[in-house]
Amino acid sequence: MGVAGSFPGSAGSPEGPVMDRDEVDRALARLDAEHEAVETSLLALQDHAGRRLLEGAELTGTTRDRWAVTDQAVSRLWSYFDAYTAALASARELRARRRWPSRDDLSELTERLQGRCVTVAGSPAQAGAPGSITGPAKLSEQYSLTELVDRMNELYASSLDMVVAADAVWSALPARIDLLAAELGRTRQLAASVGVRPGEHPAGDDLERITAELTTLRSQVVSDPLAFWRTATGSSAPGGGRPDTERYDRAAQDLEEVRREIDAVLTVRQDAELRLGRLRDLLSRADRTLAEARSARGEVLAKIAASEVPAVSGPPTALQEQLATAAEYRRTAQWHRLSPLLESLEQRAEDELHRARESLTAVTAPLAVRAELRGRLDAYKAKVARHGAAEDPLLIERYDAARRMLWSAPCDLRVAEQAVLRYQHATAEVLAPRVPNQGGPTDRRGES
């Protein structure tokens, strides 16, 4: 709704100068625009889906109390608007009498447009409600046209705020609760199919609690939506806020946790043997990897000198025992016990295989270093050959020395690495470009 400016005035002759013809016409045009804006807003409020729902709903609590006040405020709004319409029409009629109004006409128009000349009778409901939103109980009220617009704006904002808030809650929560209740029903059926029942399994008790909570929550949302509305801090716009979904979100989260637990039990029942087979395979691969690591450790100790080789642990007997327990749970259909045990075993078996692979990597690290040095030595030899320096005596000597160290057993990696580096440096010296007849020193740097 539009908000007009404020004009001083009283119920007698107007205070201040009398308006001239142009000022009167501008004031009438402005008030006409206000009238149109007010009428549009009131009709929109009248047709608002939230207001129609509030009229027909059985309300309780905060919503019932606020709707009683808001309903009176809406009725009062129409009374104000009728009085405003009549007063504006009267002023326009007076202005239309003469193209050039007289001094008396202008004085009367000034009084009607600026003075508090609009009398609005107090309604019976208002007279009986001294603390209502429409103000203290009065038999009649005096307003100027501008004051009346301001008053209507206040009532409209408070009424719309209440209607929009209730409608927002009704639009957001009941449908979501119904969807969650449907999901709850499907979950209860699944729970019954795997033997999860109240009193026999914690998930069954949780389903009963969630069912009761959703039933209560929906009833409260429908009858008292404003109890689930949170006004935005610092917002003055009508409907500034959001529905409070905390209880719904908590119920949805609880249901999701129960659903995951039931799905786990259902999955266990459907593919328990497959998962047990995977576990056996993981532990078998971990055992084979550890055996390979033990064999590789002996090879490293024999072929690599002065190297610290970590010890290799034995097979995980505790996991094998728990795997046997899991197989017994499957045989006796103890699904609720098998489910958490399988989840724990699967993670621990993966960890065990990862540990075995790390052990193999750590044990064979010296062999990998030796292989890298061999590859580097051969790569530099091939580079020397491409540049036609394969017959260089120094390079032949250093290559042979490095090769003897790398292909002998046991191999001292530190000494062999130094030999490879000496060959690299010699290669760089031999292949470094030389620029003759220059005054400065020759650049002997080469590739490393």
Side-chain angles (χ1 to χ4, degrees):
M1 297 174 71
V3 179
S6 177
F7 292 98
S10 63
S13 60
E15 298 179 1
V18 174
M19 302 167 69
D20 61 25
R21 187 186 69 158
D22 290 339
E23 289 173 332
V24 167
D25 290 342
R26 286 195 297 270
L28 285 171
R30 176 180 55 79
L31 291 169
D32 278 338
E34 290 285 0
H35 180 273
E36 182 178 354
V38 169
E39 183 177 30
T40 300
S41 298
L42 285 178
L43 291 174
L45 178 60
Q46 189 72 17
D47 292 336
H48 197 287
R51 190 196 65 80
R52 293 197 300 268
L53 288 173
L54 285 164
E55 282 186 336
E58 295 183 5
L59 304 174
T60 61
T62 302
T63 308
R64 178 189 57 201
D65 297 339
R66 284 195 59 186
W67 174 241
V69 175
T70 300
D71 193 29
Q72 292 180 18
V74 172
S75 298
R76 196 68 180 156
L77 266 171
W78 283 106
S79 297
Y80 286 156
F81 180 71
D82 290 342
Y84 179 85
T85 301
L88 183 59
S90 176
R92 184 159 287 286
E93 180 183 356
L94 176 58
R95 173 62 186 90
R97 290 177 185 173
R98 297 181 180 86
R99 181 179 180 183
W100 300 98
S102 65
R103 175 71 180 177
D104 291 340
D105 289 340
L106 290 174
S107 178
E108 185 176 353
L109 283 168
T110 300
E111 172 61 20
R112 293 191 183 191
L113 296 177
Q114 295 184 349
R116 303 182 70 186
C117 298
V118 184
T119 302
V120 182
S123 65
Q126 184 189 17
S132 71
I133 194 173
T134 56
K138 294 181 181 179
L139 295 178
S140 64
E141 298 170 296
Q142 296 291 126
Y143 296 100
S144 69
L145 288 173
T146 300
E147 289 172 341
L148 195 55
V149 169
D150 292 340
R151 184 62 176 146
M152 285 190 289
N153 279 330
E154 294 173 6
L155 290 177
Y156 175 81
S158 62
S159 301
L160 183 63
D161 181 72
M162 188 270 171
V163 170
V164 169
D167 185 57
V169 173
W170 278 335
S171 298
L173 278 175
R176 295 171 68 181
I177 294 172
D178 290 342
L179 289 174
L180 189 61
E183 178 65 21
L184 174 62
R186 290 189 291 270
T187 304
R188 289 171 67 96
Q189 291 179 353
L190 280 175
S193 70
V194 295
V196 175
R197 298 180 178 86
E200 299 178 5
H201 193 281
D205 298 331
D206 290 339
L207 287 174
E208 288 295 299
R209 176 181 54 79
I210 296 170
T211 300
E213 167 65 3
L214 287 183
T215 302
T216 302
L217 179 61
R218 193 185 194 288
S219 175
Q220 292 175 349
V221 166
V222 169
S223 66
D224 191 10
L226 293 188
F228 298 87
W229 180 254
R230 294 294 173 264
T231 303
T233 304
S235 174
S236 59
R242 62 174 181 83
D244 180 5
T245 62
E246 181 180 352
R247 286 175 59 184
Y248 167 85
D249 294 338
R250 187 165 56 246
Q253 179 63 34
D254 292 346
L255 179 59
E256 179 61 25
E257 292 176 0
V258 173
R259 177 58 189 258
R260 283 199 296 265
E261 184 172 351
I262 293 173
D263 281 347
V265 174
L266 185 63
T267 301
V268 166
R269 189 184 70 172
Q270 291 173 342
D271 58 7
E273 185 57 37
L274 179 62
R275 293 173 70 182
L276 286 170
R278 289 195 191 120
L279 280 171
R280 295 187 186 98
D281 179 63
L282 281 173
L283 293 179
S284 176
R285 287 158 60 191
D287 287 347
R288 291 196 301 271
T289 304
L290 288 174
E292 184 180 352
R294 286 191 291 272
S295 175
R297 186 173 187 273
E299 180 183 358
V300 170
L301 291 175
K303 294 183 177 180
I304 306 297
S307 179
E308 295 182 1
V309 185
V312 180
S313 64
T317 56
L319 290 182
Q320 294 289 354
E321 293 173 357
Q322 290 184 338
L323 183 60
T325 301
E328 179 63 18
Y329 284 161
R330 179 190 177 279
R331 189 184 66 80
T332 56
Q334 298 183 59
W335 310 115
H336 61 287
R337 294 182 178 179
L338 180 58
S339 176
L341 180 57
L342 281 180
E343 291 179 3
S344 172
L345 278 174
E346 285 167 344
Q347 182 59 52
R348 293 175 62 189
E350 290 282 357
D351 293 342
E352 180 63 26
L353 179 59
H354 180 68
R355 184 183 66 83
R357 288 170 173 168
E358 286 184 335
S359 180
L360 177 61
T361 300
V363 165
T364 57
L367 295 177
V369 172
R370 187 183 66 175
E372 190 274 332
L373 289 174
R374 287 177 173 180
R376 196 193 315 172
L377 182 66
D378 289 342
Y380 270 89
K381 182 182 179 181
K383 182 177 181 180
V384 167
R386 287 196 307 272
H387 287 79
E391 303 301 323
D392 186 280
L394 177 62
L395 294 182
I396 293 174
E397 176 189 350
R398 293 194 176 180
Y399 173 80
D400 290 342
R403 192 177 192 286
R404 280 195 304 273
M405 293 179 186
L406 285 172
W407 268 267
S408 64
C411 172
D412 190 324
L413 290 178
R414 284 184 287 271
V415 175
E417 183 179 15
Q418 291 301 317
V420 172
L421 288 174
R422 284 196 297 274
Y423 180 66
Q424 289 180 229
H425 294 156
T427 300
E429 287 290 331
V430 170
L431 301 183
R434 293 175 172 80
V435 182
N437 301 323
Q438 295 292 327
T442 302
D443 186 358
R444 306 285 295 173
R445 290 177 296 173
E447 298 181 38
S448 60

